[in-house]
Amino acid sequence: MITSKYIRMRMITALLLLLSGCASTNLTGNAEYLKPPVQAFYATNRNHAGQQAESGQKYGAERSMMSYGIADVAIPQDHRIGRVIHATFDKEKHREINYLQLTELNREELLNNLTKTVAASEEKALLLYVHGFNMTFNEGARGIGQIVSDLDFKGSSLFFSWPSRGHVNSYEDDEAGILWAEKDLVTVLEEVALRSGSKTIYLMGHSLGARGLSRALLELLGKKPQLKTYFKALILTAPDINADVFKNEIGPALAKTGVRVTLYVSGKDRALTLSERVHGVRRLGNANGKPIIIPGIETVDATNINTGFFGHSYHSDSRSVLSDIYYILKKDLRADERFSLKAIDTASGRYWIFKD
């Protein structure tokens, strides 16, 4: 007899195999093929991997005190926007995006360096990114490097790396990990608001990272509402969040803060379709025929564009989505002002799709 526990475990296994598409390998690029590296600051509550480290992994998957530093991320000369290369042969290694080196800093050194970098940047802005499920620290570094390069972002960047286990069979552990990490993420958000020198801070979270980031921002602004003026936009891509909780609680609370919130969702997100079956409730990032619409929040449905086989990482591997995010960060355009989008009006409100 097949038990409900057995069925649930099979569903979790399938979900994890799909979500493994969030990850990539980490190889060292050949300098002659690389552009000048992207410099990204980092804050992480992962442990120092030490002797237990996998190849090239300075930080592990266990919970720890905060660590800080700078990651120099190598971008190949022939890199194309929205294209992520996973090398199969040694001769292709130079085509991958990887970090070249890490420079560890203490908290004060990070904040001082961040302030100087923001002040010296062309846009005087800061982009803070939180990665999703099944990501090692190295993969988080690669992710922010690609996003900064593809968006031609001229401000400073920082990624928050929480203790994801970086394995396909650790989804439930990762859910617990991002919940545990929220308190440190709240502190990081407060410190960059007060110490970075930037009054234009963009926030971006993917998958489980979107869950932690939205909750952390609400907690911070609930305690210190005066800080909301520092946060220009919150971008949630493929958010793995209970849709009912977001619609009734998180979303309306975010809309009241005045921070511009954009949701990117898709009806072809295989990972979130399975996540929905596992949890027994709809996920926010799953358009499911019609996306969730919350007054004061702009929802962009990416179902009608090519989002890859898994349909879960389109924030980094879809040129259409990256281009749309570009106009949020670079041109400060609302959804109705972005040429690539078409408005869809429903009884519940307006959302947008990509034009054919």
Side-chain angles (χ1 to χ4, degrees):
M1 179 177 178
I2 299 177
T3 65
S4 59
K5 182 177 180 180
Y6 173 80
I7 294 173
R8 175 175 168 81
M9 291 305 298
R10 288 294 299 271
M11 290 169 62
I12 290 175
T13 299
L15 167 65
L16 300 175
L17 289 173
L18 282 175
L19 285 177
S20 65
C22 294
S24 68
T25 56
N26 288 278
L27 303 172
T28 301
N30 188 325
E32 69 178 287
Y33 295 102
L34 304 177
K35 300 178 182 179
V38 171
Q39 186 182 78
F41 292 94
Y42 68 83
T44 182
N45 49 13
R46 294 174 179 266
N47 66 306
H48 279 77
Q51 297 301 315
Q52 304 300 316
E54 298 176 15
S55 177
Q57 296 285 348
K58 188 174 184 66
Y59 296 100
E62 301 300 327
R63 303 174 184 182
S64 186
M65 303 291 287
M66 290 296 297
S67 296
Y68 309 92
I70 303 171
D72 289 324
V73 184
I75 308 296
Q77 289 281 3
D78 62 352
H79 172 68
R80 287 186 287 172
I81 295 174
R83 187 178 184 190
V84 182
I85 300 295
H86 307 300
T88 303
F89 304 104
D90 285 348
K91 66 181 181 180
E92 296 178 318
K93 289 182 180 180
H94 67 275
R95 303 183 68 195
E96 290 194 327
I97 297 174
N98 295 284
Y99 81 79
L100 292 175
Q101 67 178 22
L102 296 181
T103 303
E104 286 194 282
L105 304 171
N106 62 40
R107 173 179 167 275
E108 281 301 310
E109 289 173 334
L110 174 89
L111 293 170
N112 290 336
N113 277 274
L114 186 60
T115 301
K116 292 176 183 177
T117 304
V118 168
S121 69
E122 181 178 322
E123 298 180 357
K124 306 295 189 294
L126 173 66
L127 172 63
L128 188 153
Y129 174 70
V130 184
H131 64 70
F133 162 74
N134 186 25
M135 298 288 284
T136 65
F137 177 88
N138 291 12
E139 289 158 351
R142 179 203 59 79
I144 186 63
Q146 182 203 340
I147 289 169
V148 168
S149 177
D150 286 358
L151 295 177
D152 191 30
F153 187 70
K154 300 300 185 183
S156 189
S157 62
L158 180 148
F159 71 101
F160 179 85
S161 185
W162 52 277
S164 165
R165 293 199 171 274
H167 293 290
V168 297
N169 61 347
S170 299
Y171 180 73
E172 291 179 321
D173 285 343
D174 276 13
E175 281 196 302
I178 187 62
L179 180 62
W180 172 85
E182 282 179 18
K183 67 181 187 304
D184 288 328
L185 182 50
V186 171
T187 300
V188 170
L189 290 174
E190 180 177 0
E191 289 179 333
V192 297
L194 295 175
R195 298 283 303 275
S196 71
S198 174
K199 295 184 179 180
T200 307
I201 300 173
Y202 300 100
L203 306 174
M204 182 186 299
H206 175 237
S207 188
L208 284 180
R211 185 191 304 184
L213 181 57
S214 58
R215 288 166 54 97
L217 181 62
L218 276 182
E219 183 175 339
L220 173 62
L221 298 185
K223 296 186 299 184
K224 298 186 176 182
Q226 69 274 19
L227 297 183
K228 66 183 180 181
T229 57
Y230 291 94
F231 300 104
K232 184 72 172 181
L234 171 64
I235 300 169
L236 305 178
T237 64
D240 190 355
I241 304 173
N242 183 314
D244 290 334
V245 172
F246 191 90
K247 182 176 182 179
N248 297 316
E249 300 174 20
I250 299 174
L254 285 172
K256 288 180 181 178
T257 66
V259 178
R260 183 188 303 182
V261 182
T262 302
L263 304 180
Y264 287 95
V265 304
S266 172
K268 296 187 295 188
D269 193 324
R270 294 169 181 252
L272 291 185
T273 297
L274 277 173
S275 178
E276 181 175 316
R277 294 175 185 172
V278 169
H279 290 91
V281 292
R282 182 176 176 181
R283 313 318 287 168
L284 178 64
N286 187 1
N288 198 26
K290 187 173 73 172
I292 297 294
I293 300 173
I294 299 105
I297 292 178
E298 296 184 337
T299 299
V300 179
D301 185 350
T303 302
N304 65 339
I305 63 172
N306 181 11
T307 54
F309 178 77
F310 296 111
H312 190 60
S313 297
Y314 48 83
H315 71 298
S316 61
D317 59 19
S318 167
R319 188 184 184 100
S320 296
V321 175
L322 282 163
S323 296
D324 197 58
I325 294 173
Y326 171 91
Y327 284 108
I328 297 175
L329 271 59
K330 301 282 284 190
K331 303 296 183 180
D332 194 29
L333 298 182
R334 309 290 302 204
D336 275 329
E337 300 172 307
R338 303 201 292 273
F339 177 77
S340 61
L341 299 181
K342 174 183 177 182
I344 303 295
D345 289 311
T346 72
S348 302
R350 172 174 288 193
Y351 69 98
W352 291 262
I353 62 174
F354 287 91
K355 293 179 180 177
D356 296 331

